[in-house]
Amino acid sequence: MTGWRSSGAPRCHPLPGARHHIPYPFELNRRIRLLWAPWIRAISTGCALLLAACASQGPPRPPRIEKPERVTDLAVAQIGRALVLSFTPPALATDGERLSKPLEIQIFRSVTPPGQKTADALGAGEPWLTLPRSDLARFTEGEKIEYPDELPEDEFSRSLGSTFAFAVRGLTRGFRRRPIPGEVSKTVEAMLLDVSGPVQGLAVQPTEHALELRWRPPSRTMTGGAPTDLAGYRVYKSQTQKPDSFRLLGETANAAYQDPDFRFKNTYFYKARAVFKRDGQAAESEDCEAVKITPLDTFPPAPPTGLTGLYTAGQVELIWSANTEPDLAGYNVYRRDDGGPPRRINRALASTPIRHDSSVELGHAHPYRVTAVALERHESLP
């Protein structure tokens, strides 16, 4: 071993016969630094980028609370023994964004006997029924939910004249399924009326200008009494027979209805309900069985009118008033010679109400007649 270097660091030389150089601690540290330097630089760069990214973000946002919007179109209608609630379920939260959490519907209900002040539907604040998301699809018709509060026969009889009040609200669930209820809808009311069962004997008969519906008036209500509150009937129409496709066509005071809005060869479905009214309340019977009809045009046109004839320039000129049927195909012209049977003198249908007949003989009487022919080849009377 020699003396100390000017830097003060000892230096070591191998002894004679030694095979390896044994570094001092400062040389070992230098090798470690050289080995780990690329990794240290990469980690430092990543940390710097992460800090820069964190510095560019805004303040942390609190978790979103998905409170459903208020239901605004709640309605109730009595159909048979059921009080049917209909409404559009909320699709947005009160922050204006779409709901992403499963929606539930809470229904509130109160029943007030006849002659008493109607009780608040909210009652003690507890919902009468909660529909989970899994049940909502069962009661969805188009864009609306239609939930039937179906009353058993004994409860229906006991509750006649009572007022049923309903309100609904949407609900989602947050952290640990904590309920987040929306605002309660308006309250709707319905007085329970003693309606009849479905109308019977509905039949549809085609005529030339309308489809005629007829049925039998009900003779008893669902409790066996006389239908004293019967006010008329409502007719529903569809072209697909799907339950949610029937639309109200009109009302009538009698057990008959005419529908002029139809086309031959198109298929239609019809239903009718009896309507009962009392004290401003209206209720309907249940649906009758739908009747299907595909009307065919079997009706001939009206006979042409105003036929006149004039012999001039060696021929007979015939003219008559034009028919106005939309399915008119043309006309046939008949002539009778020497008391024989009428014979058609046109090969093809005449498209206009004019005909020239040059195959006549002087001194002979020629009676003529004209018929109208429809597209379906039904021919009118002459």
Side-chain angles (χ1 to χ4, degrees):
M1 183 177 291
T2 64
W4 297 96
R5 296 183 60 179
S6 60
S7 62
R11 184 176 183 183
C12 180
H13 292 279
L15 296 175
R19 299 178 60 187
H20 300 287
H21 170 63
I22 302 176
Y24 265 97
F26 78 94
E27 291 189 43
L28 185 61
N29 291 340
R30 178 172 176 271
R31 293 186 181 184
I32 293 175
R33 286 197 301 272
L34 292 175
L35 178 63
W36 285 92
W39 295 94
I40 294 173
R41 284 195 298 272
I43 294 174
S44 300
T45 302
C47 291
L49 292 174
L50 181 61
L51 291 174
C54 293
S56 65
Q57 293 182 353
R61 297 177 61 185
R64 182 181 172 218
I65 299 177
E66 298 192 31
K67 182 178 180 180
E69 284 189 332
R70 183 173 183 257
V71 173
T72 59
D73 61 348
L74 177 64
V76 61
Q78 180 186 347
I79 301 176
R81 285 199 295 261
L83 295 167
V84 181
L85 299 176
S86 64
F87 58 92
T88 303
L92 303 178
T94 52
D95 60 5
E97 298 184 19
R98 294 192 66 84
L99 293 171
S100 63
K101 296 182 180 296
L103 177 70
E104 302 175 28
I105 296 294
Q106 292 182 327
I107 302 177
F108 299 85
R109 189 188 82 163
S110 68
V111 183
T112 305
Q116 298 184 17
K117 183 179 179 181
T118 304
D120 186 359
L122 297 180
E126 293 296 325
W128 168 70
L129 178 69
T130 298
L131 296 175
R133 181 182 179 88
S134 57
D135 283 349
L136 294 184
R138 294 170 46 204
F139 305 110
T140 299
E141 299 288 348
E143 296 182 354
K144 288 195 172 186
I145 291 176
E146 294 188 0
Y147 178 79
D149 178 12
E150 298 180 356
L151 302 178
E153 186 175 349
D154 57 343
E155 184 181 357
F156 178 81
S157 300
R158 292 195 312 268
S159 303
L160 287 177
S162 298
T163 299
F164 286 70
F166 296 91
V168 300
R169 71 180 177 189
L171 176 141
T172 61
R173 298 190 180 274
F175 182 66
R176 294 184 178 177
R177 295 192 56 76
R178 179 178 62 86
I180 307 175
E183 188 178 349
V184 179
S185 71
K186 69 175 183 179
T187 299
V188 295
E189 301 175 1
M191 182 174 63
L192 195 65
L193 302 183
D194 192 11
V195 300
S196 69
V199 300
Q200 301 294 321
L202 175 61
V204 185
Q205 181 69 32
T207 67
E208 187 174 0
H209 303 292
L211 299 180
E212 294 186 348
L213 288 75
R214 295 186 180 276
W215 55 89
R216 295 194 300 271
S219 58
R220 291 287 184 270
T221 64
M222 301 193 76
T223 59
T228 55
D229 294 328
L230 179 64
Y233 306 89
R234 289 175 182 167
V235 177
Y236 295 83
K237 179 181 180 181
S238 172
Q239 289 187 264
T240 65
Q241 202 181 11
K242 294 181 180 179
D244 61 342
S245 65
F246 282 85
R247 297 293 179 264
L248 178 63
L249 183 60
E251 288 196 38
T252 174
N254 304 313
Y257 188 86
Q258 288 192 343
D259 179 17
D261 184 17
F262 78 102
R263 289 179 179 272
F264 290 112
K265 296 186 178 181
N266 284 5
T267 299
Y268 303 97
F269 299 87
Y270 291 93
K271 293 180 180 180
R273 294 176 182 172
V275 180
F276 295 78
K277 295 182 180 180
R278 189 205 304 175
D279 299 335
Q281 291 282 331
E284 299 178 71
S285 66
E286 295 177 349
D287 284 330
C288 67
E289 186 175 353
V291 173
K292 175 183 176 181
I293 184 171
T294 305
L296 300 178
D297 187 1
T298 60
F299 306 97
T305 60
L307 175 62
T308 60
L310 177 65
Y311 180 77
T312 178
Q315 64 180 3
V316 174
E317 293 185 358
L318 301 171
I319 186 169
W320 59 92
S321 300
N323 282 47
T324 59
E325 288 87 354
D327 62 339
L328 183 70
Y331 304 91
N332 281 327
V333 180
Y334 295 85
R335 188 185 73 195
R336 192 171 64 217
D337 299 326
D338 298 327
R343 179 175 59 86
R344 193 175 73 181
I345 63 175
N346 57 298
R347 292 185 177 180
L349 288 176
S351 59
T352 60
I354 298 174
R355 177 71 183 181
H356 303 286
D357 183 14
S358 59
S359 62
V360 294
E361 297 181 12
L362 290 174
H364 290 260
H366 297 285
Y368 290 89
R369 62 177 55 178
V370 178
T371 61
V373 181
L375 293 174
E376 297 291 336
R377 298 303 174 184
H378 303 302
E379 190 172 12
S380 74
L381 293 173

